[in-house]
Amino acid sequence: MELAYYSDYAVRLVNTEEPVRSKDSLTSVEAVRELFGEASQMARRVTDSDVTRFRAVRARLRAVFTAADEGDHTHAVDLLNSLLLEFPVSPQISGHDYLDEEGRPRWHMHLADHPSNATAGYAAIAAMGLAFHLTEFGADRLGLCQAAPCRNAYLDTSTNRSRRYCSDRCATRANVAAYRARKRLEAERADLTGLTAETSQPSTTPIDR
C-alpha cells in the first residue's frame, strides 16, 4: 500500500462531521468501522469507546486543515506533530499486495495496524499519511471547501494549486451562486443607472406665470 493512500484516512474522518449544518455521521460502532473499510483487521476491534475517541481525533485533524486553509502553516505542522507524537506508527516493508511480471513481490512501505485500540491505529495512519502529503506537496495543499456551508476537508492534487472545493458538486453549486450574484448586481446597477438618468432629465412641467 502506498503511503500517499493513507492521507485519505484523515479526510474521511474529518468529513464525517459538517459543523455548519450541525450534522455528524460518526454516531455508532458501525460508522467507525466503515472508515477503516471491510478489509481492515483493526475495524473488527472497534468498541463503543472508540466512537468518542474518534470524535476527539477528528477535531484535532480538522484543526490541522483549518490552520492550513487559513495560511498558518507553522501552526498546522505543530498540530500535526502533536498527533504524530501521541500516535506513533510502525512502518514495515510489505510485498503481499503486488507482484511483478515474474511473480516476485513489489516491495513497498506499509503502516502496520497493531496498536492498543482501534482509535490509536486509525489516528496513527491518518496522521502519518497527512504528514507525508504535507511534506511532499506543501501545507497549502490542505484545504476546506469554499462552498458555504460545506467546509469539508480536501487534499489539493491539482497541478496549479487551484483547488477550492471538496467535490465537483460543490464547485458547480459555488459557480452557480456566483453567477446569480453577478446577475443580481448587474440588474441593480442597471436599475440605478436608469433611475439616475430619469432624475437628470430637465423638467417639462409648465411654469405658472
Side-chain angles (χ1 to χ4, degrees):
M1 185 178 295
E2 297 296 334
L3 288 175
Y5 166 85
Y6 291 114
S7 59
D8 191 53
Y9 275 60
V11 174
R12 290 207 303 269
L13 177 54
V14 170
N15 291 346
T16 59
E17 181 185 31
E18 297 181 70
V20 179
R21 294 189 174 109
S22 298
K23 292 183 178 180
D24 188 349
S25 63
L26 198 61
T27 58
S28 65
V29 169
E30 290 71 24
V32 173
R33 286 175 176 162
E34 288 179 2
L35 290 170
F36 284 98
E38 298 178 357
S40 174
Q41 294 182 355
M42 187 60 63
R44 292 190 284 273
R45 297 176 56 186
V46 176
T47 66
D48 290 333
S49 298
D50 284 302
V51 177
T52 300
R53 290 195 289 254
F54 261 68
R55 286 177 173 177
V57 172
R58 178 180 64 188
R60 295 172 67 181
L61 286 170
R62 176 172 281 278
V64 175
F65 278 92
T66 299
D69 187 68
E70 293 175 349
D72 194 347
H73 298 166
T74 299
H75 187 45
V77 169
D78 288 343
L79 292 171
L80 188 51
N81 273 334
S82 69
L83 284 165
L84 292 170
L85 288 172
E86 185 174 344
F87 302 105
V89 298
S90 301
Q92 293 181 346
I93 298 174
S94 176
H96 61 84
D97 292 327
Y98 308 102
L99 299 177
D100 61 20
E101 295 177 355
E102 298 181 8
R104 296 174 302 189
R106 291 183 178 177
W107 303 113
H108 59 278
M109 291 300 296
H110 179 85
L111 300 184
D113 52 359
H114 48 70
S116 57
N117 58 67
T119 303
Y122 193 98
I125 291 172
M128 180 55 73
L130 203 55
F132 271 98
H133 190 93
L134 186 150
T135 54
E136 178 71 18
F137 302 106
D140 59 341
R141 293 294 190 134
L142 280 59
L144 294 174
C145 186
Q146 299 301 302
C150 178
R151 303 302 283 167
N152 271 351
Y154 65 83
L155 299 171
D156 185 2
T157 57
S158 64
T159 57
N160 58 355
R161 300 173 183 265
S162 61
R163 184 170 179 178
R164 295 294 179 269
Y165 308 104
C166 68
S167 64
D168 290 341
R169 179 181 180 182
C170 276
T172 299
R173 182 160 54 85
N175 289 334
V176 169
Y179 173 80
R180 290 175 177 172
R182 287 196 302 271
K183 287 299 182 182
R184 285 196 299 270
L185 181 59
E186 291 173 1
E188 291 172 358
R189 287 175 175 173
D191 290 342
L192 182 59
T193 301
L195 182 61
T196 302
E198 289 179 2
T199 56
S200 64
Q201 292 293 326
S203 175
T204 57
T205 304
I207 300 177
D208 293 334
R209 295 183 181 275

